[in-house]
Amino acid sequence: MSQIVVAKNAQGIVLAAENSAIQLDETGREISLQVNRLLPLTSHCALLAAGAPEGTEMGNALKSFIQGEKLNDVQELYGASLAFLSTEYERFMRKKCELLPIDPIHQVSFILAGRTEKDRTMPFRLYFLWTKKKLPQIDGDEIGHAFSLPRRMGLEFQLNKMCKEDAQPKEILKKISEGIERLKSQGEVGSNLSYAMITQEGYQSLKP
């Protein structure tokens, strides 16, 4: 599973994603791919697609849908994204099961990140959209401060502490980058990575 790390506080959100994926061909053979897992949706919102590479296709379809609906507030996007991605995932699973048996490699999950104008005390939000109950239904949970997939509890603990202390996004970005570099040195993370930040000024792609 490709690595994803996110963190947020009242100052903003920091996002990191490893852009590799594995796909099965029609014979069941694994194929390595490079995909863009970090997708800006609006000026102040983004989506991280984890799991099967088709998640990025679903994310791009969601982006087109959101632009058509002219949504920008992350709290409004959350409900719309759950409904839209559930439909897309069900369609994907139905198509896959015609060719291959259900496999964990077919699972997808998403992290929705963005800013809301409806809560001045907590303007930045993170939501984990995943198959919490059963396939192919997608449910959602709000993320407190920090989260990673696969889970990296030591890094999450450090990020949670920094976020609660209201650290600046650039400091949080540095900590995430250091954590990913350690994983890279251990051969657990590849070299194709994307970083981004969402602050009051909006979404910004980064090179730490």
Side-chain angles (χ1 to χ4, degrees):
M1 181 185 288
S2 297
Q3 188 66 54
I4 285 174
V5 183
V6 298
K8 63 98 175 170
N9 60 12
Q11 307 301 320
I13 301 172
V14 180
L15 310 164
E18 179 188 3
N19 293 312
S20 62
I22 295 174
Q23 191 174 50
L24 297 180
D25 65 15
E26 293 183 6
T27 66
R29 185 170 58 92
E30 289 188 0
I31 303 170
S32 295
L33 302 172
Q34 296 298 311
V35 296
N36 183 18
R37 295 192 176 277
L38 179 50
L39 307 170
L41 296 177
T42 70
S43 63
H44 286 78
C45 295
L47 187 77
L48 281 165
E54 287 84 357
T56 60
E57 298 173 19
M58 298 177 208
N60 282 316
L62 174 65
K63 182 174 182 176
S64 297
F65 169 75
I66 286 170
Q67 288 174 341
E69 295 294 314
K70 294 181 171 56
L71 299 173
N72 194 41
D73 191 287
V74 71
Q75 288 184 302
E76 295 174 357
L77 260 66
Y78 176 54
S81 298
L82 266 180
F84 184 89
L85 291 172
S86 291
T87 301
E88 290 292 302
Y89 188 45
E90 185 175 0
R91 185 181 297 124
F92 160 68
M93 289 298 290
R94 194 182 302 120
K95 183 178 178 182
K96 277 293 177 186
C97 290
E98 291 175 0
L99 303 172
L100 297 166
I102 291 178
D103 188 281
I105 205 169
H106 296 147
Q107 293 193 15
V108 298
S109 58
F110 304 91
I111 295 176
L112 177 66
R115 188 170 185 270
T116 180
E117 296 285 347
K118 298 178 179 181
D119 187 345
R120 298 303 175 111
T121 60
M122 287 180 58
F124 297 99
R125 303 294 178 96
L126 288 167
Y127 299 98
F128 183 37
L129 283 56
W130 62 303
T131 50
K132 181 178 181 180
K133 296 174 184 175
K134 62 178 181 178
L135 291 171
Q137 180 182 340
I138 292 181
D139 295 288
D141 291 305
E142 186 165 2
I143 296 168
H145 287 292
F147 185 71
S148 58
L149 276 176
R151 302 300 297 273
R152 307 290 180 179
M153 303 311 294
L155 179 58
E156 285 186 35
F157 177 81
Q158 294 173 3
L159 292 172
N160 267 302
K161 186 173 183 293
M162 291 181 71
C163 290
K164 289 176 182 177
E165 292 171 352
D166 219 23
Q168 291 297 313
K170 287 184 179 179
E171 297 172 32
I172 295 170
L173 172 66
K174 183 180 177 184
K175 177 60 69 176
I176 291 176
S177 179
E178 289 172 351
I180 287 179
E181 286 300 316
R182 277 196 301 273
L183 293 170
K184 194 190 295 185
S185 69
Q186 296 162 7
E188 296 187 48
V189 170
S191 58
N192 188 353
L193 300 158
S194 294
Y195 293 88
M197 191 182 294
I198 301 173
T199 61
Q200 189 170 350
E201 287 72 36
Y203 176 91
Q204 181 184 5
S205 182
L206 301 168
K207 288 186 179 180

